Amino acid sequence: MKRKLAAVAVLSATALLTGVVQVSTVAMADPAPHSRAAQRADLLALANGQAGKMAHALALGGQEQLVAKDAAVDADGTRHLRYERTFAGLPVLGGDLVVHQKADGSTTSVDKATGAAIALPSLTPQIPADKAAAQATGAVQSTVGVAADEDESPLTAVHQTGKAELVVWATDGNPRLAYRTTVEGVRADGTPSSQLLVTDAASGQVLSSHEQVQTASGSGKGVFVGTVPLTTTQSGSSYQLKDATRGGQSTYTLKNKTSGSGTLVANTTNSFGNGLASNAESAAVDAQYGAAATWDFYKNTFGRNGIKNDGVGATSRVHYGSNYVNAFWSDSCFCMTYGDGASNTHPLTALDVAGHEMTHGVTSATAGLNYSGESGGLNEATSDIFGTMVEWYANLPADKPDYLIGEQININGNGTPLRYMDQPSKDGRSADYWSSSVGNLDVHYSSGVANHFFYLLAEGSGAKTVNGVSYNSPTYDNSTLAGIGRDKAAAVWYRALTTYFTSTTNYAAARTGTLKAAADLYGASSAEYSAVAATWAAVNVN
């Protein structure tokens, strides 16, 4: 029996309504023609322009001001304006808030980091700045910072950098005057340190300590990705597969267990794996690199900051169970998990598998496509599409990009891929074209219609060789298609997924959504729009 790439979707949502206010503004049009940078600049200007009115509407004190930090807009014009707060010109740590507005400028809700009112009895510190800096330096020297990991080696040769800055500390809901100081040094093992300390301006008590030096440049040799660079974290004399530059995403080994969080993969050399499945670190290299490549693809292609677009990295778990021939994503642990395959010697840690599984998380965070019927097929196809795009993005010599799914893991035992995008029916089960019964298929096979659509939209029909691989993609209506290129095809699919698809989208609605997306991106009279329409007809979705 052919095994399938599985997805576990455990959905949860939390909402916090901290205030509903009304601020009249001029609604902005959908800024699709602008670059992302120009769009963000326009939104920040808008946010700063209404900062005064917003502060008044939120009943902030007369000494408080809002300063726009970030802004984003949804396709329907809904805006999310993020503000930092100041009190008497001092930064308020823990005073940030996010204002959510409709396109017409009406505010629907506000999320605050703290609901505490700021009313300081005095802005005069009881400890002078130079003494505060000295106390902070001493605190770092003696304690290695109150928030440091227990296994960090002691600091030596510490020195305070710059002047202690007066701030308002409101993070714990008890606003007070404080100092923010940077203390630098070198750890006993040679690792540099830069600690950012917040201390009480009256007592000198350390309120917060944050180590800003968190990463190292490592390398690894995976089973599938070959020799690749890795961003690691040094903790004492140990190097960990934990990437602070990508939201802290990390890789753990379950050591063939099926529960628990596992053990963070680490060693003392900052070089992981030897490319052989018999080396437990090799699969971990694949997983860590796959997570990094997926993060980079989404961020550099679509501006998406992590799977949930919140800057938080996912966890990867390798060596799950015994002889487990599968891989899966779970929202409940925000993690993806890989089995070691038959005889525990064939890990499923290939790059397109990583991109596929983590894209289930993106789908969950956006359209939330139900995992059954035609919407389930679209869910699976979305993972195949972007798993493939991650492979093309990484462009590794050890894993030449193609339109074959799971071609490296040999899950069938005969060297054939798990799925084919150019002609899905070559696997013996997947659908090339839509029919009224396609929704009755397993979602891994009903996905064939959308996979076929994507290949045709990207590369066109007929026999051809792409990157050394031969394809021959047919069409339902015997049409000849030229293709618009994989980057444009991916852009259309991503916008449709994040903007127009819903949990119940079927193939007919997917056609409508991708046409809207093509119109948004390239215009309703564009060649790209016409290509989307023609390609859906070529897979019998009209």
Side-chain angles (χ1 to χ4, degrees), residues 126-268:
Q126 296 183 31
I127 299 174
D130 57 349
K131 184 177 180 180
Q135 287 181 339
T137 303
V140 170
Q141 178 74 68
S142 62
T143 67
V144 200
V146 295
D149 293 336
E150 291 181 0
D151 57 358
E152 286 183 340
S153 61
L155 280 163
T156 61
V158 298
H159 62 279
Q160 179 257 331
T161 301
K163 186 178 181 180
E165 176 191 14
L166 206 59
V167 297
V168 176
W169 171 258
T171 301
D172 61 0
N174 180 26
R176 73 200 90 165
L177 203 60
Y179 282 109
R180 180 166 55 184
T181 311
T182 299
V183 179
E184 296 187 347
V186 179
R187 297 191 180 278
D189 61 5
T191 305
S193 171
S194 179
Q195 297 251 357
L196 186 64
L197 266 72
V198 179
T199 55
D200 192 301
S203 66
Q205 175 191 0
V206 176
L207 302 174
S208 172
S209 176
H210 174 63
E211 174 60 75
Q212 300 179 91
V213 178
Q214 300 174 333
T215 64
S217 295
S219 64
K221 188 172 184 180
V223 179
F224 301 112
V225 299
T227 301
V228 291
L230 298 172
T231 301
T232 59
T233 294
Q234 185 172 8
S235 178
S237 60
S238 176
Y239 296 92
Q240 305 167 337
L241 288 188
K242 185 174 183 179
D243 187 347
T245 69
R246 297 178 176 89
Q249 58 190 23
S250 52
T251 298
Y252 289 73
T253 175
L254 289 172
K255 299 180 180 179
N256 301 118
K257 296 179 181 179
T258 57
S259 62
S261 57
T263 303
L264 182 62
V265 178
N267 66 30
T268 59

Side-chain angles (χ1 to χ4, degrees), residues 87 119-124 175-177:
F87 180 87
L120 302 186
S122 172
L123 293 176
T124 302
R176 73 200 90 165
L177 203 60

Side-chain angles (χ1 to χ4, degrees), residues 82-459:
R82 185 178 297 277
Y83 291 96
E84 297 281 16
R85 200 186 325 183
T86 65
F87 180 87
L90 302 178
V92 179
L93 308 185
D96 53 295
L97 53 89
V98 185
V99 177
H100 306 283
Q101 296 180 336
K102 293 181 180 179
D104 63 3
S106 59
T107 296
T108 56
S109 64
V110 180
D111 292 326
K112 297 179 180 179
T114 179
I118 300 176
L120 302 186
S122 172
L123 293 176
T124 302
Q126 296 183 31
I127 299 174
D130 57 349
K131 184 177 180 180
Q135 287 181 339
T137 303
V140 170
Q141 178 74 68
S142 62
T143 67
V144 200
V146 295
D149 293 336
E150 291 181 0
D151 57 358
E152 286 183 340
S153 61
L155 280 163
T156 61
V158 298
H159 62 279
Q160 179 257 331
T161 301
K163 186 178 181 180
E165 176 191 14
L166 206 59
V167 297
V168 176
W169 171 258
T171 301
D172 61 0
N174 180 26
R176 73 200 90 165
L177 203 60
Y179 282 109
R180 180 166 55 184
T181 311
T182 299
V183 179
E184 296 187 347
V186 179
R187 297 191 180 278
D189 61 5
T191 305
S193 171
S194 179
Q195 297 251 357
L196 186 64
L197 266 72
V198 179
T199 55
D200 192 301
S203 66
Q205 175 191 0
V206 176
L207 302 174
S208 172
S209 176
H210 174 63
E211 174 60 75
Q212 300 179 91
V213 178
Q214 300 174 333
T215 64
S217 295
S219 64
K221 188 172 184 180
V223 179
F224 301 112
V225 299
T227 301
V228 291
L230 298 172
T231 301
T232 59
T233 294
Q234 185 172 8
S235 178
S237 60
S238 176
Y239 296 92
Q240 305 167 337
L241 288 188
K242 185 174 183 179
D243 187 347
T245 69
R246 297 178 176 89
Q249 58 190 23
S250 52
T251 298
Y252 289 73
T253 175
L254 289 172
K255 299 180 180 179
N256 301 118
K257 296 179 181 179
T258 57
S259 62
S261 57
T263 303
L264 182 62
V265 178
N267 66 30
T268 59
T269 65
N270 209 14
S271 179
F272 297 79
N274 63 5
L276 301 177
S278 57
N279 183 304
E281 290 183 353
S282 298
V285 170
D286 288 334
Q288 185 72 2
Y289 182 84
T294 302
W295 176 288
D296 289 353
F297 163 71
Y298 276 108
K299 185 168 186 178
N300 296 332
T301 306
F302 304 121
R304 187 174 191 84
N305 192 23
I307 289 173
K308 288 186 176 180
N309 202 24
D310 61 358
V312 177
T315 299
S316 297
R317 304 187 302 175
V318 295
H319 306 307
Y320 175 88
S322 182
N323 303 314
Y324 183 69
V325 190
N326 222 323
F328 60 88
W329 166 265
S330 173
D331 278 345
S332 62
C333 64
F334 199 62
C335 68
M336 67 164 304
T337 304
Y338 303 91
D340 284 326
S343 303
N344 288 329
T345 57
H346 297 80
L348 277 80
T349 50
L351 185 57
D352 59 352
V353 177
H356 171 106
E357 298 299 347
M358 283 182 276
T359 293
H360 280 304
V362 175
T363 298
S364 173
T366 54
L369 289 161
N370 292 332
Y371 205 63
S372 62
E374 292 189 20
S375 60
L378 289 164
N379 188 316
E380 269 298 308
T382 296
S383 283
D384 281 351
I385 288 167
F386 290 124
T388 294
M389 289 303 299
V390 167
E391 195 174 271
W392 281 97
Y393 177 86
N395 196 25
L396 293 176
D399 186 2
K400 192 163 58 175
D402 52 43
Y403 291 96
L404 308 174
I405 307 301
E407 73 282 359
Q408 285 198 323
I409 59 178
N410 194 24
I411 202 169
N412 298 321
N414 58 7
T416 59
L418 182 62
R419 289 188 285 277
Y420 304 79
M421 299 188 81
D422 66 317
Q423 189 177 355
S425 61
K426 285 194 291 185
D427 67 8
R429 300 187 181 188
S430 293
D432 289 335
Y433 312 115
W434 182 86
S435 70
S436 59
S437 62
V438 78
N440 297 326
L441 296 176
D442 181 286
V443 295
H444 298 85
Y445 307 133
S446 61
S447 64
V449 180
N451 280 343
H452 194 192
F453 165 83
F454 182 81
Y455 173 86
L456 286 169
L457 184 62
E459 299 291 349

